[in-house]
Amino acid sequence: MVRLPLSPAEVERGQRLGALLRRARGERSMLNTALDAGVSPETLRKIESGRVATPAFPTIAAIADVLGLSLDAVWSEIKQSDGVAALARPARNASERLAS
């Protein structure tokens, strides 16, 4: 199977996810966090470092659960700046764009 290269937005989103998980983990050890979530410490390390930019949903759900993060909070954090928020905003008309 050939994997397509990640877009810059996907790479950035993966980095935001990793940063969020590192912050949420705080002083807790990576080993204990990974084992409690049922993933390998290497997998958690790669996700936190941004090397795995598109981890499987069940993996993120398990890690988020162990860290006490809601999936809504995770999604809110990682969707920033990747265009998803821009799609949710109402379109401005041409005169408003020119005035700004």
Side-chain angles (χ1 to χ4, degrees):
M1 180 173 118
V2 176
R3 279 192 88 161
L4 297 174
L6 297 175
S7 71
E10 290 171 320
V11 171
E12 184 180 330
R13 190 169 47 240
Q15 291 168 343
R16 285 193 304 273
L17 173 63
L20 170 67
L21 296 179
R22 277 192 310 277
R23 284 192 313 270
R25 185 167 56 82
E27 297 297 317
R28 184 178 181 156
S29 80
M30 186 179 288
L31 176 63
N32 288 338
T33 302
L35 294 177
D36 289 347
V39 299
S40 74
E42 181 66 11
T43 296
L44 180 57
R45 186 182 67 74
K46 286 179 180 178
I47 293 169
E48 284 189 358
S49 69
R51 288 184 50 213
V52 175
T54 57
F57 176 80
T59 300
I60 294 307
I63 296 168
D65 183 50
V66 165
L67 296 176
L69 294 171
S70 75
L71 291 177
D72 287 335
V74 172
W75 177 245
S76 177
E77 176 78 18
I78 67 171
K79 76 176 184 175
Q80 295 176 12
S81 304
D82 70 358
V84 174
L87 293 175
R89 288 193 298 263
R92 293 166 50 183
N93 66 35
S95 62
E96 286 178 317
R97 282 193 303 263
L98 293 174
S100 54

